[in-house]
């Protein structure tokens, strides 16, 4: 008999679609309804993925892994973290918030650095909102109110496949009853992406010239005459036309992603983008939302701020939280060769960190809490197999707009796995015994 679990939250991207239906047969999810292709593969465990179901250990990274029991794996993990002078705890973006809490507690006990994957994605957005504010709204407001929508440096057709259909462009909202026909879509991207192909206006900005284009739009908005015929690859006539559309919007929304945060200017790009939204609010209603990638990357920044006062890159080495990006970040600690042990959870820095940082990871003791084989787990000394939050365990996650949603348990996990929060609790308890 097939059971249908309804209103499941998808634990893939920051959109956190909450209308998924999972069809369960003999303890396995055999199909889904409403999920995108990526979300579907997350629920059904795409074929070919190597699932860890028992703890693995090797002292020398050149040796093969050997199976050990959980208690021994926890003890060895605690010993590594306690003996380290500069331990790192990193990841958290693909697990639930209660695991984040336990990770923060552990970081303080071992006097280590704790951070999440925003270091290599939306970290610049966080630095910017600390500088100039955060004029955000909910995705529900966008759906119901927005008549002008901008995607800047973002390609949701591939990165967030249901974002445009659920919230951004196509849905019929309370004040936008005709859906797409009631909205103007502007895409700013140097490429003709699949999202750009749907746009009413595609501003094909030159690479690394986002700051110049935003500044030109702000200047035109304030009534200054643009002195160049072309700015950042866009004609001044097109800039003036765009400004008129923005000024005349009843409710505008700016979605921005890594195409802005990782080009020249970085957090200063976001600074001036937020200032643009503030300028527009002098004439109409405008807000912005960062297109957060991992489904709970925002959740860690929330939890980390509650506990330490800072969103990420928190250093407890002196017994209290310190925050100085570029100094107290996991990435930089690895690049400088300071880190001498690392615990990675629910992320894959081996696939995304700079090459020299990954080289350092390969030389130091590395513990990996991850359900599947990844470029990071193959560098590990210890692998602790967790359940998959949102599929095999409950929890809480924060959507890209800061709205918390409850994750459901759909199926039972493998018997020999533990929840991320339970693994971290056990490590923390063992650390207390060793200190």
């Amino acid at each position: 008999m097939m059971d249908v679990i309804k209103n499941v939250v998808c634990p893939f991207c920051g959109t956190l679609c909450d209308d998924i239906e999972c069809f369960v047969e003999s303890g396995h999810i055999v199909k889904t309804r409403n999920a995108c292709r990526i979300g579907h593969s997350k629920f059904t465990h795409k074929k070919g993925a190597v699932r860890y179901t028992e703890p693995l250990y090797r002292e020398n990274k050149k040796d093969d892994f050997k199976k050990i029991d959980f208690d021994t794996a926890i003890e060895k993990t605690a010993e590594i973290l306690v003996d380290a002078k500069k331990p790192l705890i990193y990841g958290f973006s693909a697990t639930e918030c209660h695991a984040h809490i336990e990770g923060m507690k552990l970081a303080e006990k071992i006097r280590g650095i704790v951070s999440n994957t925003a270091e290599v994605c939306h970290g610049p957005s966080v630095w910017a909102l600390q500088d100039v504010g955060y004029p955000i709204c909910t995705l529900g407001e966008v759906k119901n109110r927005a008549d002008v929508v901008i995607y800047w440096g973002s390609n949701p057709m591939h990165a967030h496949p249901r974002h445009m259909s659920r919230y951004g462009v196509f849905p019929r909202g309370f004040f936008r009853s005709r859906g797409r026909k009631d909205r103007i879509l502007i895409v700013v991207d140097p490429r003709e992406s699949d999202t750009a192909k749907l746009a009413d206006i595609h501003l094909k900005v030159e690479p690394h010239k986002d700051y110049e284009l935003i500044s030109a739009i702000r200047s035109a908005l304030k009534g200054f005459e643009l002195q160049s015929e072309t700015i950042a690859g866009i004609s001044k006539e097109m800039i003036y036309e765009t400004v008129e559309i923005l000024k005349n919007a009843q409710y505008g929304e700016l979605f921005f992603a890594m195409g802005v945060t990782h080009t020249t200017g970085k957090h200063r790009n976001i600074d001036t983008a937020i200032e643009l939204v503030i300028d527009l609010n002098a004439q109409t209603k405008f807000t912005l939302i960062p297109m957060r990638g991992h489904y709970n990357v925002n959740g860690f920044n929330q939890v980390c701020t509650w506990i330490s006062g800072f969103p990420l890159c928190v250093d407890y080495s002196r017994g209290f939280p310190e925050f100085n990006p570029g100094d107290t970040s996991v990435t930089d600690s690895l690049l400088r060769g300071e880190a001498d042990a690392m615990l990675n959870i629910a992320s894959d820095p081996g696939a995304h960190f700079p090459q020299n940082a990954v080289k350092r990871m390969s030389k130091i003791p590395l513990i990996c809490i991850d359900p599947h084989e990844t470029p990071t787990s193959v560098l590990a000394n210890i692998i602790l197999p967790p359940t998959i939050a949102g599929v095999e365990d409950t929890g809480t996650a924060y959507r890209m707009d800061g709205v918390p949603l409850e994750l459901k348990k759909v199926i039972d996990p493998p018997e020999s796995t533990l929840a991320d929060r339970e693994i971290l609790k056990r490590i923390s308890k063992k650390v207390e015994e060793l200190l």
Side-chain angles (χ1 to χ4, degrees):
M1 182 179 176
M2 190 178 295
D3 295 322
V4 182
I5 313 297
K6 296 185 177 181
N7 300 321
V8 177
V9 174
C10 175
F12 174 70
C13 78
T15 309
L16 281 179
C17 297
D18 56 2
D19 61 342
I20 309 302
E21 296 182 9
C22 294
F23 296 79
V24 180
E25 188 174 41
S26 302
H28 297 280
I29 301 173
V30 294
K31 69 175 182 177
T32 61
R33 181 178 292 153
N34 297 330
C36 69
R37 286 181 295 176
I38 307 173
H40 173 79
S41 67
K42 180 74 180 273
F43 281 109
T44 56
H45 295 178
K46 189 175 180 181
K47 293 180 180 179
V50 176
R51 179 72 188 269
Y52 296 122
T53 57
E54 295 179 278
L56 301 175
Y57 172 75
R58 60 184 177 186
E59 186 171 352
N60 189 324
K61 295 190 180 185
K62 294 182 180 180
D63 296 336
D64 293 331
F65 282 110
K66 295 181 180 179
K67 294 180 181 179
I68 57 173
D69 62 86
F70 241 113
D71 289 339
T72 303
I74 295 293
E75 184 174 359
K76 289 184 179 295
T77 297
E79 289 173 353
I80 289 172
L81 296 177
V82 169
D83 291 341
K85 294 181 179 179
K86 196 76 168 181
L88 310 176
I89 305 180
Y90 176 84
F92 297 103
S93 297
T95 189
E96 48 87 29
C97 289
H98 296 87
H100 300 169
I101 295 170
E102 298 303 326
M104 293 297 297
K105 291 179 181 177
L106 177 60
E108 186 171 8
K109 288 175 183 175
I110 63 174
R111 295 200 170 194
I113 293 176
V114 60
S115 192
N116 80 326
T117 60
E119 279 194 20
V120 290
C121 62
H122 271 280
S125 304
V126 178
W127 321 149
L129 66 90
Q130 290 177 322
D131 283 343
V132 292
Y134 199 23
I136 196 173
C137 69
T138 67
L139 290 172
E141 288 179 278
V142 178
K143 172 184 175 180
N144 288 308
R145 298 178 183 275
D147 61 328
V148 174
V149 176
I150 307 170
Y151 285 101
W152 198 310
S154 174
N155 186 15
M157 286 292 289
H158 290 271
H160 304 79
R162 299 186 71 212
H163 190 276
M164 298 175 75
S165 61
R166 276 182 62 79
Y167 301 112
V169 179
F170 298 105
R172 297 180 179 182
F174 190 85
F175 297 105
R176 303 290 166 245
S177 59
R178 296 190 303 163
R180 177 67 177 93
K181 293 180 180 179
D182 281 341
R183 295 185 177 93
I184 297 174
L185 173 60
I186 301 172
V187 174
V188 186
D189 199 311
R191 306 165 302 158
E192 190 176 353
S193 64
D194 286 335
T195 303
K197 292 174 183 177
L198 300 173
D200 297 299
I201 296 177
H202 177 200
L203 299 179
K204 205 167 185 179
V205 61
E206 291 180 7
H208 302 285
K209 293 292 183 69
D210 300 276
Y211 190 93
E212 288 88 337
L213 180 56
I214 299 171
S215 298
I217 293 173
R218 290 185 65 197
S219 297
L221 180 65
K222 293 185 176 185
F224 293 101
E225 183 178 350
L226 301 179
Q227 300 300 310
S228 299
E229 292 299 317
T230 302
I231 300 173
I234 310 298
S235 68
K236 69 177 183 180
E237 289 77 15
M238 180 59 73
I239 292 174
Y240 285 132
E241 180 183 338
T242 302
V243 167
E244 286 302 311
I245 291 172
L246 302 184
K247 286 167 57 177
N248 293 318
Q250 293 179 351
Y251 190 109
E253 184 64 30
L254 170 59
F255 293 109
F256 65 94
M258 290 172 61
V260 192
T261 64
H262 279 226
T263 58
T264 301
K266 297 188 178 179
H267 71 284
R268 295 304 179 195
N269 294 336
I270 313 305
D271 275 355
T272 195
I274 294 173
E275 294 282 5
L276 170 61
V277 170
I278 293 171
D279 293 342
L280 284 165
N281 272 284
Q283 303 192 39
T284 183
K285 177 65 177 175
F286 232 93
T287 54
L288 87 171
I289 296 176
M291 298 286 284
R292 305 304 295 267
H294 295 84
Y295 78 87
N296 206 20
V297 61
N298 191 13
F300 178 83
N301 299 140
Q302 300 274 354
V303 171
C304 191
T305 305
W306 304 338
I307 295 174
S308 70
F310 306 111
L312 70 161
C313 301
V314 178
D315 186 355
Y316 281 104
S317 60
R318 294 206 287 176
F320 56 87
E322 293 182 276
F323 170 76
N324 186 19
D327 180 32
T328 61
S329 67
V330 167
T331 317
D332 289 289
S333 182
L334 288 167
L335 289 171
R336 291 192 300 264
E338 296 172 353
D340 54 354
M342 181 174 178
L343 170 62
N344 173 70
I345 174 171
S347 68
D348 189 11
H352 301 101
F353 271 8
Q355 185 176 6
N356 288 335
V358 177
K359 283 183 180 178
R360 182 62 181 171
M361 286 169 53
S362 70
K363 295 176 182 177
I364 63 176
L366 174 62
I367 304 102
C368 195
I369 303 175
D370 202 299
H372 295 109
E373 184 180 77
T374 66
T376 304
S377 70
V378 298
L379 298 174
N381 296 88
I382 301 173
I383 295 174
L384 301 170
T387 58
I388 300 175
V391 179
E392 302 165 346
D393 194 18
T394 59
T396 301
Y398 277 75
R399 205 167 60 188
M400 62 172 65
D401 57 353
V403 174
L405 296 173
E406 182 181 359
L407 303 175
K408 285 188 177 182
K409 178 180 178 179
V410 182
I411 58 174
D412 292 326
E415 289 185 6
S416 53
T417 60
L418 294 172
D420 289 306
R421 60 183 177 274
E422 183 61 29
I423 293 174
L424 291 170
K425 276 184 184 178
R426 292 193 182 190
I427 295 172
S428 193
K429 184 178 180 181
K430 182 58 67 174
V431 163
E432 286 182 353
E433 294 174 3
L434 295 174
L435 289 174

